Amino acid sequence: MRLIYVDDSGAERSGYATFSWLELRIDDWQVALREVLDWRHRLAREQQVPVTYELHATKFVNGRGDPSLDPSWNRHKAKRSLVVDDAFRMLAAAPWLSVGTVYSQTSLRGRAFADERSRVYGELVTRLDQRLTAAGELGILYMDGDGTDRSYVAAHRELKLATRSLIEDPAFQHSHSSHLVQFADLVAYAGYQHVLQLPEKRFTWPWYPSLSAVDVNGGPLAV
């Protein structure tokens, strides 16, 4: 059994629709969460960022909010970037981790872009299901959100029941209540920045490639 934590990134203005995930075997869940919690406790000791503070990649990296109890720390984007550097070093060394990213780039906008985003998610679900089936495993997918976007559910229900290995609908969980969902958000942000390659975000470019050894596709996959 595998636990798969998914988050989306991308933006209509850039034309990128991306989904990234991190996954682990259910037997490794306790070890994984312990390692993530240990990292959060170290962050609390060294940078005064409480363990309960939600690490939302877009806000954190871009200098929004006040993650640290030290007001002077919060004003320095470079210090935030160093925290994310350290997070990816921890993930890259984690023996329990696998990751992946799928994406598309399109000129579609408005409703058509939303439909394209749903298509990319459907590709993600199909590929995860096929890989689980080939390995003789089952999987449960967790996603950030409240479940109001029914297109996610539709993608799961389009899988053939007789052969599917990704069980049930996606389990929605708000990121503020799950450290592993928050780390999926970091991976999703890094995956998007890696394919987008904005010069002003050059400092983010190494993050996703640092996980190449545990990427099930060897890198972001256009679908």
Side-chain angles (χ1 to χ4, degrees):
M1 174 72 76
R2 288 191 171 267
L3 305 178
I4 303 163
Y5 299 85
V6 176
D7 207 349
D8 68 303
S9 193
E12 183 177 330
R13 65 182 178 276
S14 69
Y16 279 98
T18 71
F19 288 88
S20 298
W21 72 94
L22 62 82
E23 64 178 83
L24 57 143
R25 293 177 59 85
I26 197 167
D27 293 345
D28 290 330
W29 175 82
Q30 193 173 39
V31 170
L33 186 58
R34 180 72 272 158
E35 190 167 349
V36 167
L37 285 171
D38 286 347
W39 183 86
R40 287 301 308 260
H41 282 290
R42 180 161 60 83
L43 181 61
R45 290 194 305 272
E46 296 177 358
Q47 311 298 345
Q48 299 186 55
V49 178
V51 174
T52 55
Y53 185 86
E54 180 184 359
L55 289 180
H56 186 282
T58 300
K59 294 179 180 178
F60 186 84
V61 173
N62 291 316
R64 302 173 195 162
D66 295 310
S68 176
L69 300 179
D70 176 1
S72 64
W73 189 96
N74 292 321
R75 306 284 73 84
H76 295 278
K77 287 186 181 180
K79 292 183 178 180
R80 297 176 184 232
S81 179
L82 291 174
V83 167
V84 182
D85 288 346
D86 191 54
F88 276 91
R89 279 193 293 271
M90 185 270 289
L91 290 175
W96 45 266
L97 180 68
S98 296
V99 303
T101 292
V102 294
Y103 73 95
S104 75
Q105 185 182 20
T106 178
S107 60
L108 299 172
R109 297 294 183 264
R111 181 67 248 177
F113 178 81
D115 290 343
E116 172 64 5
R117 188 170 167 278
S118 295
R119 185 195 68 79
V120 175
Y121 181 75
E123 287 285 343
L124 164 66
V125 166
T126 297
R127 290 168 185 273
L128 286 173
D129 188 64
Q130 291 173 343
R131 192 162 56 81
L132 288 166
T133 299
E137 296 182 299
L138 298 174
I140 299 175
L141 188 152
Y142 293 89
M143 173 162 266
D144 183 23
D146 57 11
T148 55
D149 186 343
R150 301 301 293 174
S151 66
Y152 294 122
V153 172
H156 288 245
R157 295 188 181 184
E158 288 175 1
L159 298 171
K160 292 183 179 180
L161 180 58
T163 57
R164 68 182 285 184
S165 299
L166 193 58
I167 65 175
E168 293 290 355
D169 296 335
F172 289 95
Q173 196 166 22
H174 287 292
S175 61
H176 63 76
S177 64
S178 170
H179 290 291
L180 289 169
V181 172
Q182 289 175 43
F183 271 82
D185 176 64
L186 286 174
V187 173
Y189 180 83
Y192 174 49
Q193 295 301 328
H194 178 62
V195 298
L196 185 61
Q197 295 280 289
L198 285 177
E200 60 267 32
K201 292 292 180 66
R202 186 179 296 272
F203 67 94
T204 71
W205 295 2
W207 291 341
Y208 194 84
S210 73
L211 304 180
S212 59
V214 294
D215 190 314
V216 299
N217 298 310
L221 183 66
V223 296

